[in-house]
Structures are given as structure tokens and as C-alpha cells.
Amino acid sequence: MKVVIVIDTAATKNIREKAEFIAGAIMAESEVLDMANGRERHENYFYLKSLAPSAVITLELAGFDMKTTGDIIAYNTFTCPMAHVVFDKAYKYADRLSCRQNLSMFTYFNQNESDAEVKKYGQSIPNTCYYADDTFDSKAKTAAWFEEFCEESMVK
Amino acid sequence: MKILIFEWGGGSYTYRDIVNELCRRGVSYRTISYTFRNKNEDEFFVSRFGRILDEERFDAVFSVNYFPLVSECANARGVRYIAWCYDNPMDVPDIERTLGNEVNSVYMFDRLQVEGYQKKGFTNVKHLPLAVDVSRLSAIPFDPEYRSQISFVGTFYDSAIDIYRAGMNDLCREYVDTVCNAQRGVYGKYIIDEYMADEVISEINAAFAASDNPAVRSMSVSLERMKFVMAADVTRFERILLLEMLGRRYDVQVYSREQPEAATHIRLMGTCNYYDEMPKVFKGSDINMNITLKCIQSGIPQRALDIMGAGGFLLTNYQPELEEHFEDGKSLAVFNSFEEAVDKADYYMKHEAERERIADAGRMIVEKHYSYSQAMGVLLDGGADDCR
């Protein structure tokens, strides 16, 4: 199984460490793709496509600014399941959370995030999920989270 | 009324205009999008989409283009499934397995395509032309940034034909090339369909199987697929050639994802956004070209309606269904050969007032006969035919 973890270090400075932690925890071949790698957005899009990942994990909705000519998030053209992990407050990503997501996408919020806030900004989210505060502090819990995502999304 | 809309992940061009019309009618809707790896088999989709249909009551499921698993989910629950197709062909392997599902109402814009399915007994496949929201397009102002003499918005199909040709023996390759050459520049007659039959495909697949190359031996192609790649190849040739011919005389701007190497006399502008930029292209151009994908045998493609709906002047290849409401020289301009296309471009570039009258007339006809209001009436009320 090949998993790509997408981050944007220009938008979220310390996120790489988190990405590499997750990559090390999950039982899968993984690669971290930083949208702030100097390449054009469409070059990153085609690169991600070329990897043909079994699953994609995005952190802080990195890459949601890649859009099609129909103004849809480009991730929707992918066939693989996706886990979008939001560490910060939902309201900070109001624009991105309002984008239509595929049925195969699961968006994870911290369990401390207010349900009302999530519903307010994420009306279009097909699968809203929550993670415990300490999920991504431990490799075992991160691995368990990923396993649960794989089961839920029937990733192959 | 409440509709569950299924959208292909990348989004259909006409989605926004359709939901605008639904809102105008007071129809509530929910949208689910998904991109299939396999359109005929997807356990996750069937489970999740089915759950949505079980948990919430919908009067119908609707999609732009046809999706077999959407049909199966709706059929299992007795919920009407309405598919309005703007793709031709529909890129659905083994479509006939589910096309006849009892809940299906499948509308296609190409009358000959519909007749083909109806002859096979699919009476739930009906004809309905595509539509355009003229009021939305009219509200988009002219933008001098999109000014050009001649424009074309579309795809240069990167056909897979070369892959198949490489695996064929000389006889098959010559046959395919001859049919493609015969089709080039011919409108109103689909030669590819006439000359590509099961026997020819059997020969091609037999040639693949007999190859020394293991990669070729593992290849096989269906009749529908082969017809499409041939049509795409002919279309690519026609679009490049005609635009190049025009490009030698005028400023021709082309909005396309592809950048064909053979295109040296046209300006490749990249892509443009369907909703906001494309109408500006049409309004800003003296002449807008439509060169129809070859396998669309009789229908009026979306692009032609978009051009006229935006008030643009349309110069298009002949398509039989254009005769139903439009007239060459009165509401659009039609060509039947490359030479005629160039002659008409020359003429209309010199006759601005006439061009504007024609564009106006085209827009009024589109507004009257190809509106979303009319189309939705047919789609939602289960009309037997387009009846325009």
C-alpha cells in the first residue's frame, strides 16, 4: 500500500515534523509531498497522480487550493480514499471546508472542536470524524487511527 | 420534490446551471460526488451511496452522464434515476448490463445514438438536447483581455490509436488508416461506424494475440473503444488542420489543455474556466469555431450552444440536428468542408454587422428552444421525448 501525506509548509510552518511522524507510524510505504516545494500547483497535482497512491492523507487541508477548470477541488478527480486531518480550528479553514468533497473522503477534527462549528463550516463534508487529542502523539495510536480509516474507507 | 444529485468527482460543466434551475423551481437537492476506479464494481460506493438512499427520502436520483452503480443502487430501492448525458460516447464499459434498469430514464442529446439504443429495446433511453442558461451568460460582460479574431475552446484528443496501431499487423493497420482517412473532413456521415464491425475487431485482437511482443499479446480492444479512438484521432487531425489553416490568415486563439506540436500558427492560451472565462472568450471573438467530436453523429454539442448562448458568432461543422431550429447564414454559419470553413471565415470577418445579426438570432433561438427550464421540465416530469 502506498500512502502520500500532503502538507504545505508555506501555510503551516511546523507541519513537516507531524507528517514524518505519521509516515513513520502507519504500516504502509509512505511519502511526504510538500506543496511548497517550488513546483507549480498543477505540477504537484500531476506528480501526485503519477504516484497512484492507495490513499492520501492531507494535513491542514494542504492542496485544497488545487482546482479544476470547473472550480472543483482537484483531489476529487482521484479514485483513492483520502483522510483530511485538521489540527487547527475549523473556522480558520472555512473556505476549504465548504468545497465539495468526494464520498471517499474522511475529514478528521480534534474531538475538542465544537460540533456546531464543524457543522457550520463543514456542511459539504460527506464523512465527518473526530480524533482524540493525543492520537497523533503516539505511534501506536496513530497507527490505530490509520487502520480504522482504512477499514472505514475500504482502502485496498 | 427532493433530488439526490450524483456528480462525477471532477465535476460536470453543467452542474451549476442545473442546480440554479432546481432552485428556481423550489426543488431541494443534496449532492454526492465520487470518482470510480471501476464504474461497474465498487463495494465502498454501493455501501455508502445505498446507505444515503436508505436514510433519506428522495423523489429521484439525478446525474449528468450515466453511472451504472448509481442506477443499481436506485433500482434496488425503486427510486427513479434520471441521467442526462452530454458525453458521447459515454465511456461506460458494458453499459447495456444496467441501461435497461426499470428506474432508469436516460436522456442523450444525439438522436442517432438514442435510436441505436432504442432499436436494441432500450425504450427508457430518450432524446433531449443539451441546454444553456442565456441569462447567466448574458450577464457576463465583454472583457477586452479575451479579444481575438477567431477562437476555439476544446480538446485536441490525445488518442490512444498509436498504441493499438503499433500492435496491429499490416493489413489491420492499413484498414484502420483507410477508414480514418475516409472520415477526415466528412460531415453528416459516420464512416467509422459503417466500416468498423465485430469481424474487424476480431481480426485486430487476433493480430494482437499473435504478436511476438508479450506487451502486445496482452492487449485487447472492444469495438466501442476502437471506434472512439479512431473518432478521436480524426477529430484531432481536423481540429489541428482547420485551426492551422485559419491561423495562417487570422489571429486564432485556442483554449485547450493540450499543446499539439503541429500547431504552429495558432496561439495556445491554456485552459479557461467554464463558468466565468469561457463566455468572455466567446463574446470577445469575432468568430467562434465548433469542430465536433466525430462520434457525435447528429446532436448539437454543448460547446455550440454555449457559444450562441453567450451571444458569440458560431462557425460550426454540419450536424443534422442543427437544422431543427437553426439556419445557415441566419442564426449561425455552417461548413461542410475545410475549404468552406475558410471561405466562410473570410466572408464573415469582412461583414461585421451581418455577423452580429446572426449571433443575435442564434442567441434568441437558443434562449427559446434550449433552456434549462424546458429541459428540466422534461427531465423531472418524465417526458416521453424532448417535444421542442
Side-chain angles (χ1 to χ4, degrees), chain A residues 40-90:
Chain A
E40 296 285 342
R41 282 286 183 259
H42 70 273
E43 286 174 324
N44 279 326
Y45 167 79
F46 285 116
Y47 174 69
L48 183 55
K49 274 262 178 180
S50 75
L51 296 176
S54 309
V56 170
I57 299 171
T58 72
L59 302 185
E60 303 289 38
L61 305 176
F64 264 59
D65 51 342
M66 295 188 294
K67 298 278 182 83
T68 66
T69 52
D71 213 31
I72 305 290
I73 58 166
Y75 284 139
N76 279 2
T77 65
F78 284 71
T79 59
C80 65
M82 295 198 181
H84 304 302
V85 183
V86 181
F87 295 115
D88 211 334
K89 292 286 181 193

Side-chain angles (χ1 to χ4, degrees), chain A:
Chain A
M1 186 194 299
K2 169 126 197 178
V3 178
V4 179
I5 302 171
V6 184
I7 58 173
D8 187 341
T9 53
T12 316
K13 288 200 171 10
N14 303 318
I15 201 73
R16 178 172 283 278
E17 206 180 304
K18 196 70 120 185
E20 283 169 359
F21 180 84
I22 293 172
I26 63 178
M27 304 294 285
E29 179 199 341
S30 52
E31 178 175 334
V32 175
L33 171 62
D34 185 355
M35 285 286 153
N37 56 8
R39 288 195 208 130
E40 296 285 342
R41 282 286 183 259
H42 70 273
E43 286 174 324
N44 279 326
Y45 167 79
F46 285 116
Y47 174 69
L48 183 55
K49 274 262 178 180
S50 75
L51 296 176
S54 309
V56 170
I57 299 171
T58 72
L59 302 185
E60 303 289 38
L61 305 176
F64 264 59
D65 51 342
M66 295 188 294
K67 298 278 182 83
T68 66
T69 52
D71 213 31
I72 305 290
I73 58 166
Y75 284 139
N76 279 2
T77 65
F78 284 71
T79 59
C80 65
M82 295 198 181
H84 304 302
V85 183
V86 181
F87 295 115
D88 211 334
K89 292 286 181 193
Y91 77 85
K92 291 189 178 177
Y93 297 111
D95 275 352
R96 294 185 180 207
L97 290 172
S98 67
C99 296
R100 188 168 78 228
Q101 294 182 22
N102 274 358
L103 193 54
S104 51
M105 295 185 181
F106 296 75
T107 307
Y108 293 85
F109 298 92
N110 190 304
Q111 67 181 16
N112 296 324
E113 179 72 79
S114 136
D115 214 30
E117 285 283 286
V118 169
K119 279 197 170 87
K120 182 178 172 186
Y121 296 108
Q123 281 178 37
S124 304
I125 298 173
N127 304 295
T128 304
C129 313
Y130 295 91
Y131 59 86
D133 212 15
D134 61 350
T135 296
F136 298 102
D137 293 336
S138 121
K139 288 213 167 177
K141 288 185 179 175
T142 302
W145 163 82
F146 182 70
E147 229 180 275
E148 201 181 297
F149 159 68
C150 288
E151 202 177 303
E152 212 40 47
S153 63
M154 297 190 196
V155 72
K156 294 191 169 37

Side-chain angles (χ1 to χ4, degrees), chain B residues 6-40:
Chain B
F6 175 80
E7 265 278 275
W8 167 64
S12 61
Y13 291 124
T14 52
Y15 172 79
R16 274 198 227 172
D17 288 333
I18 287 167
V19 302
N20 283 346
E21 181 57 30
L22 289 177
C23 290
R24 270 196 284 269
R25 287 169 170 264
V27 174
S28 61
Y29 66 92
R30 178 179 170 184
T31 304
I32 296 294
S33 74
Y34 192 80
T35 301
F36 292 99
R37 182 172 283 143
N38 181 333
K39 286 179 179 173
N40 286 301

